[in-house]
Amino acid sequence: MKLTRNLCASTAIVALGAAAFAQPVAAQETATSAFELPPVVSTASRLSAGLTSSSVTIVDREAIDRHPGQTLPEILATEAGLHVRDIFGSGNSSAVVDIRGFGEQATQNVLVLVDGRRINDLDLSGVQFALVSRSSIQRIEVLRGAAASVLYGEGAVGGAINIVTQGGPKKTGVSVTGTVGSFGYRRARGIFQWGGEQAHIALTADTTESDGYRRNNQLTRHIYSATISGDIGNTAYRLGATYNTEELGLPGNRIVNLPAGINLVESNPRGAQNPLDFAEERGVRFEAGIEQQLNDGLKLTVDTAYRRSLTSSDFIGAFTLDDRALSTASISPRISYNGEFGGHAVNFIGGIDASHTTAEVERRFIGFAGGADFDGWQSSVSLYGQADVELTDALTLDAGVRAIRTGLMLESPQNPQARVRNNETDLAANLGLAFDVTDSVEVFVRGGRAVRVPTIDERVGTQVNPLTFLPVTFDLKTQTSWDMEAGTEFSVGPVDARVAIFEMNVRDQIAFTPGAITGFGFNTNLDKTRRRGIEAEAVADVGAGFSVTPRVNWLRAEFTEGPFNGNQVPVVPNLTAGLGVSWTGDNIWANANWRYVSDQRMINDQEQLFPEIPSYDLLDIAAGGTIGKVSISGELRNVLDESYFSSSVGSDTNANLYGAFPQPGRAFYLEASVDF
């Protein structure tokens, strides 16, 4: 469309023109780049070592507070190289954040962490971004590519998102926030804080209700948390607990069959294909951490965590009832050193990550006798080390390796022959060089290896007998990848910019394959795939309180072997772009953000038989201000009332039939916060 072409051109002009013609400013030359890692303010963040030669973006507290987005995925959607795919919208926890083109399998290839602890579960459920209170976030660290695999372990093939909640000021008082919006959206949050540096208590309560954009898309969510933290001498500690509940209606897709004259996406986008389907979850999480400063450059940190979730899903339309319980316990001791060794400056971190997950799954099929139950566990022990070494004043070497030992046991009481027990060892590695051409220009190159172990859900769905619904096998290979990347970060006057090119080759990618004859699909290892891309983003302070943030990402994800050779990987757009404009005055601010997503293949369309998901433009604006202890902000999403969908599934048996998940149109939200 014309708007897309004009804004894409504007984005490129701003990014290149600002860098080429901006005049140097003395005060700007020594400023930290927006894309460099800031000084470590949280001991829980491991992104302080070994990442000099990686593509990292920091989203700071101010940007989060003033972003036109109610949820974390909506905030992340405006970062270069990140694509967010949603099913329902309206504040639901159904969004998937993809880094560097993994499409439907993005959740299992992008690690999401809170203070360095992963919150991805060993099933196919989405990441519960809502469990992280937006008001508690100090910054978000986005690391692209497999460099995160050494620091965080398996599953960080596309990248990692670390949400840092520690390191902020310890306040005393009460803060209350209320939000109302379109589609019956209502949210209330309260936080009580008391104490000082040695002991600080924070109690939070967060409740959300929404009618949803679609019929049978109602949402009710409650989150309660408590933390105790402090610093005593050279020792810092933290204890935390969170309890959450969520109930969500599942409206299903909207059917499109053009030869039959059916297009519910256009005629009835807010309707429900499955008016009785719903899901609910109950979860609890405990965490504890302690940090000891051993000397000026040496630090010992130990983190432990336990989480348990109970989920129940009733898919009446698919004649399936699914109940499951997942429990995960983990411990992560590590040593970090920042000093000199052999006359060279060294920043090192190394340690052990150990975790154990148990799973109980019960599946019942309406109208069929019996069911399919699964019980199992998966454990992992990793030893890792990552360092950056200053070889010269201008040249830095990054190097790291992680050895991962994984054990698995999974069985089905109804079919003992499907029992599997497996142990394997895998390696992840990262190697890079960064060179400071000048004080304001850096170039870097890196390569690495990453792995992803199949989840319990994926093994359960490997192959099912279409007559008995019992599993035939749980066998799946571990996914591996090699990636290479080169880029530059530079500052020119008021402009900070980052440009990177990359290639990633993936073997045995795990994905769902539809059954062409029976209509029943199964999880399998795909043929080799490859991802090539270019990312560019910039931040430009143009004066008078205005700043501009253009970004663009081109990506080609395709099969390189097998029957789909040359075809695109589904649900991966070739082009995403955006442009943000913000203004800050005295106790008042405003911003606008536009983003574009190009055409993409449907979720299960490896054969490229179905129409593509159409491209779309979204424009969001927000404004707010503070008067004393009262803050008020308003947000208008999808200003142009774009009719679009980002997820769609083709029929396994009818090439003319597919289902899409329409997204909300124009929506307004108003928020007020009071500090006591």
Side-chain angles (χ1 to χ4, degrees):
M1 59 178 61
K2 185 176 181 180
L3 174 63
T4 297
R5 292 195 298 269
N6 291 342
L7 286 175
C8 279
S10 299
T11 300
I13 291 171
V14 170
L16 297 177
F21 298 108
Q23 296 299 315
V25 180
Q28 296 281 345
E29 290 179 352
T30 59
T32 301
S33 167
F35 307 110
E36 294 177 356
L37 289 173
V40 179
V41 297
S42 169
T43 58
S45 171
R46 301 185 204 176
L47 294 186
S48 58
L51 299 178
T52 307
S53 61
S54 302
S55 292
V56 180
T57 299
I58 305 298
V59 186
D60 63 21
R61 173 74 194 200
E62 182 179 0
I64 295 169
D65 286 341
R66 299 181 177 185
H67 194 284
Q70 288 292 315
T71 66
L72 287 181
E74 290 169 345
I75 295 173
L76 293 169
T78 60
E79 297 302 318
L82 276 65
H83 170 53
V84 173
R85 182 171 51 83
D86 204 351
I87 298 179
F88 304 127
S90 300
N92 292 318
S93 57
S94 56
V96 174
V97 180
D98 191 0
I99 301 179
R100 293 191 170 173
F102 282 87
E104 179 67 3
Q105 291 76 45
T107 299
Q108 290 73 47
N109 287 279
V110 176
L111 276 186
V112 180
L113 311 106
V114 177
D115 297 324
R117 305 177 186 92
R118 67 170 64 204
I119 60 175
N120 304 65
D121 276 320
L122 282 178
D123 62 1
L124 297 180
S125 62
V127 175
Q128 286 281 20
F129 287 98
L131 294 180
V132 187
S133 172
R134 180 168 169 173
S135 61
S136 70
I137 301 174
Q138 300 305 314
R139 69 180 188 272
I140 302 174
E141 303 165 334
V142 179
L143 175 60
R144 301 164 181 84
S149 293
V150 171
L151 290 175
Y152 294 129
E154 67 90 14
V157 182
I161 300 166
N162 188 32
I163 304 166
V164 178
T165 65
Q166 300 181 35
K170 293 180 170 62
K171 300 179 180 179
T172 294
V174 177
S175 178
V176 178
T177 303
T179 309
V180 295
S182 302
F183 317 119
Y185 184 88
R186 306 169 300 280
R187 184 177 183 184
R189 288 161 286 171
I191 178 170
F192 167 80
Q193 299 183 78
W194 178 85
E197 293 299 323
Q198 291 188 342
H200 183 267
I201 299 174
L203 305 175
T204 64
D206 189 335
T207 180
T208 302
E209 293 184 355
S210 174
D211 298 334
Y213 172 68
R214 305 273 305 281
R215 303 291 182 263
N216 187 37
N217 195 198
Q218 65 280 1
L219 167 70
T220 301
R221 178 192 297 130
H222 303 285
I223 304 172
Y224 308 98
S225 65
T227 60
I228 302 174
S229 61
D231 297 276
I232 302 176
N234 292 329
T235 303
Y237 66 91
R238 176 184 171 93
L239 301 171
T242 302
Y243 173 73
N244 69 284
T245 68
E246 180 173 294
E247 298 177 358
L248 176 65
L250 305 175
N253 54 38
R254 300 274 71 200
I255 297 299
V256 177
N257 188 341
L258 296 181
I262 300 173
N263 189 343
L264 298 182
V265 171
E266 293 185 358
S267 64
N268 186 17
R270 301 187 65 177
Q273 181 71 16
N274 303 315
L276 300 178
D277 289 3
F278 73 94
E280 57 183 354
E281 178 181 2
R282 303 289 185 272
V284 64
R285 183 177 66 185
F286 301 98
E287 59 186 30
I290 187 169
E291 175 190 282
Q292 178 69 45
Q293 190 76 41
L294 302 178
N295 58 41
D296 290 341
L298 190 63
K299 188 183 301 180
L300 170 66
T301 305
V302 180
D303 286 327
T304 62
Y306 171 82
R307 66 181 186 271
R308 180 172 174 82
S309 64
L310 305 174
T311 59
S312 178
S313 304
D314 290 4
F315 302 104
I316 307 301
F319 306 102
T320 305
L321 308 178
D322 186 296
D323 297 307
R324 61 188 59 206
L326 282 173
S327 301
T328 299
S330 64
I331 183 169
S332 301
R334 58 187 180 273
I335 288 284
S336 60
Y337 173 72
N338 191 349
E340 289 190 1
F341 183 80
H344 298 278
V346 175
N347 195 3
F348 169 82
I349 188 166
I352 299 172
D353 288 338
S355 66
H356 182 80
T357 298
T358 60
E360 302 173 12
V361 180
E362 294 183 0
R363 287 181 176 175
R364 298 293 179 264
F365 303 98
I366 302 173
F368 295 86
D373 298 341
F374 311 95
D375 298 299
W377 55 262
Q378 188 162 314
S379 64
S380 175
V381 178
S382 301
L383 177 65
Y384 70 95
Q386 176 94 24
D388 46 345
V389 181
E390 192 177 88
L391 301 179
T392 69
D393 290 341
L395 184 64
T396 301
L397 170 70
D398 294 341
V401 64
R402 173 183 285 258
I404 309 167
R405 180 68 173 174
T406 304
L408 168 76
M409 192 283 290
L410 186 61
E411 61 184 358
S412 170
Q414 291 92 353
N415 186 8
Q417 295 181 352
R419 186 177 190 272
V420 63
R421 183 156 190 165
N422 183 48
N423 290 281
E424 64 177 79
T425 300
D426 298 289
L427 290 176
N430 182 54
L431 181 64
L433 288 170
F435 181 69
D436 294 330
V437 180
T438 68
D439 291 341
S440 58
V441 178
E442 178 190 83
V443 295
F444 64 88
V445 59
R446 58 158 295 274
R449 185 181 194 269
V451 299
R452 179 169 92 79
V453 178
T455 66
I456 290 177
D457 258 4
E458 288 167 324
R459 291 187 183 276
V460 165
T462 301
Q463 194 167 346
V464 177
N465 187 310
L467 300 178
T468 65
F469 296 101
L470 295 179
V472 176
T473 177
F474 292 141
D475 291 336
L476 278 176
K477 298 177 182 178
T478 293
Q479 175 183 313
T480 60
S481 72
W482 290 91
D483 76 332
M484 298 173 291
E485 180 177 6
T488 179
E489 297 177 1
F490 58 90
S491 297
V492 180
V495 179
D496 291 336
R498 178 185 66 88
V499 180
I501 60 173
F502 62 88
E503 177 173 319
M504 182 184 301
N505 292 280
V506 181
R507 181 188 295 270
D508 295 321
Q509 180 174 334
I510 304 165
F512 178 81
T513 299
I517 299 176
T518 64
F520 292 92
F522 53 92
N523 293 315
T524 187
N525 294 105
L526 298 178
D527 295 297
K528 292 181 181 179
T529 59
R530 180 179 62 205
R531 289 152 179 83
R532 291 174 171 170
I534 303 173
E535 297 167 348
E537 59 182 342
V539 177
D541 184 354
V542 296
F546 284 93
S547 64
V548 180
T549 56
R551 59 194 180 275
V552 64
N553 180 67
W554 178 86
L555 172 64
R556 173 73 181 184
E558 62 185 354
F559 294 91
T560 56
E561 284 188 358
F564 307 135
N565 187 15
N567 290 359
Q568 294 187 52
V569 174
V571 210
V572 178
N574 289 130
L575 178 65
T576 57
L579 181 66
V581 179
S582 64
W583 173 79
T584 302
D586 294 333
N587 299 319
I588 191 172
W589 56 271
N591 60 41
N593 196 288
W594 163 82
R595 58 190 171 103
Y596 166 76
V597 178
S598 68
D599 297 345
Q600 52 193 300
R601 288 290 169 184
M602 295 185 183
I603 288 174
N604 57 344
D605 191 18
Q606 292 96 338
E607 297 177 281
Q608 301 188 175
L609 299 176
F610 294 91
E612 289 184 301
I613 298 174
S615 63
Y616 54 88
D617 294 273
L618 296 177
L619 176 63
D620 304 322
I621 60 175
T626 302
I627 303 176
K629 296 183 178 181
V630 179
S631 298
I632 300 176
S633 63
E635 174 188 346
L636 188 60
R637 298 191 61 78
N638 195 358
V639 175
L640 304 179
D641 200 23
E642 178 93 340
S643 177
Y644 75 104
F645 55 91
S646 58
S647 287
S648 184
V649 183
S651 169
D652 294 340
T653 57
N654 185 346
N656 296 314
L657 180 67
Y658 66 89
F661 298 85
Q663 292 295 286
R666 187 183 296 114
F668 177 75
Y669 298 90
L670 180 65
E671 182 172 291
S673 178
V674 182
D675 295 327
F676 298 96

